[in-house]
Amino acid sequence: GQNIDQPTEMTATEGAIVQINCTYQTSGFNGLFWYQQHAGEAPTFLSYNVLDGLEEKGRFSSFLSRSKGYSYLLLKELQMKDSASYLCAALNAGNMLTFGGGTRLMVKP
Amino acid sequence: DSGVTQTPKHLITATGQRVTLRCSPRSGDLSVYWYQQSLDQGLQFLIQYYNGEERAKGNILERFSAQQFPDLHSELNLSSLELGDSALYFCASSPRMGGGHDEQFFGPGTRLTVL
């Protein structure tokens, strides 16, 4: 089966750094995605990791440890517009994406 | 704007009814995916079509069906609607058959309300 766990809510301050964790259990793991979703809008792609390690993309970085079934999304220099839900999703061998419940991030001034 | 279009944007209907949601993928994309997002369930994969053929099936109810047409647009049919079917329905598309390096682009969604 598939299981994705991530915190429900987080709060951080503008300009700070925040790390959103995700643990997963999936059969035939084929990679880990992070998506950003503003309320009532479509999810937008942030990152994809299939190998262990850190992928950096501007203010956002994503890390994967396959042996631990663990990933995190790191957001630096937080801006108010980063207030959104962040969805962790694992891809299985059948190319099916299983999403976690999402982490609602609130950025405060 | 992802390039994926969905109609209608909002749909209000009654229990027991049937509705059709429509999705046009990005130009050149061959795969279409349907997802349901409700408040208590998060984003749930329903079904994927690739170049007109069903490719993968998730937690799709028997009351729901989908198809992808020769012009690659897709329709999701929901019948015998129940209150619990109220949700946001997203369509996504990707260039290829799916997989890690085949990023999915999401449409704006159709908000279905069943009264």
Side-chain angles (χ1 to χ4, degrees):
Chain A
Q2 329 266 359
N3 195 38
I4 314 285
D5 284 315
Q6 53 181 130
T8 308
E9 281 188 2
M10 297 183 73
T11 303
T13 306
E14 193 176 13
I17 299 173
V18 71
Q19 178 174 312
I20 303 174
N21 296 324
C22 169
T23 57
Y24 64 88
Q25 290 176 307
T26 184
S27 51
F29 178 74
N30 204 14
L32 196 292
F33 286 82
W34 284 96
Y35 280 82
Q36 179 192 60
Q37 186 179 25
H38 286 96
E41 296 182 10
T44 55
F45 170 82
L46 290 177
S47 69
Y48 168 67
N49 295 66
V50 65
L51 301 175
D52 284 357
L54 188 69
E55 296 271 347
E56 296 188 72
K57 205 187 272 188
R59 293 189 300 115
F60 292 6
S61 304
S62 57
F63 172 83
L64 177 68
S65 167
R66 294 177 68 123
S67 62
K68 294 181 180 174
Y70 168 69
S71 173
Y72 67 73
L73 181 69
L74 194 70
L75 292 77
K76 302 176 191 172
E77 299 167 21
L78 278 172
Q79 302 175 9
M80 298 299 290
K81 67 177 182 179
D82 296 331
S83 292
S85 286
Y86 291 86
L87 312 178
C88 170
L91 188 69
N92 68 12
N95 288 333
M96 200 174 89
L97 264 185
T98 300
F99 282 84
T103 298
R104 193 185 317 171
L105 174 67
M106 287 174 282
V107 180
K108 295 188 173 177
Chain B
D1 184 353
S2 66
V4 179
T5 59
Q6 289 186 248
T7 55
K9 201 166 185 178
H10 300 277
L11 198 47
I12 301 175
T13 188
T15 54
Q17 294 298 304
R18 173 190 167 93
V19 296
T20 298
L21 313 184
R22 184 188 167 102
C23 168
S24 292
R26 293 186 325 152
S27 176
D29 283 1
L30 297 178
S31 276
V32 167
Y33 310 77
W34 286 98
Y35 292 88
Q36 179 192 57
Q37 187 173 42
S38 53
L39 281 173
D40 58 344
Q41 290 265 329
L43 200 60
Q44 301 278 320
F45 168 71
L46 295 177
I47 197 163
Q48 175 199 358
Y49 279 82
Y50 170 73
N51 207 19
E53 301 288 327
E54 183 183 303
R55 171 95 177 101
K57 214 169 193 177
N59 300 321
I60 188 166
L61 299 171
E62 283 192 17
R63 301 184 285 110
F64 296 1
S65 65
Q67 55 185 325
Q68 187 180 30
F69 294 88
D71 67 352
L72 300 177
H73 90 272
S74 178
E75 292 181 355
L76 179 67
N77 300 296
L78 315 176
S79 61
S80 302
L81 284 168
E82 301 174 0
L83 295 177
D85 298 327
S86 295
L88 255 178
Y89 290 84
F90 286 106
C91 166
S93 74
S94 70
R96 295 172 293 280
M97 199 178 287
H101 295 284
D102 196 28
E103 180 188 336
Q104 294 183 27
F105 296 85
F106 283 77
T110 292
R111 182 171 293 282
L112 173 67
T113 302
V114 182
L115 300 175

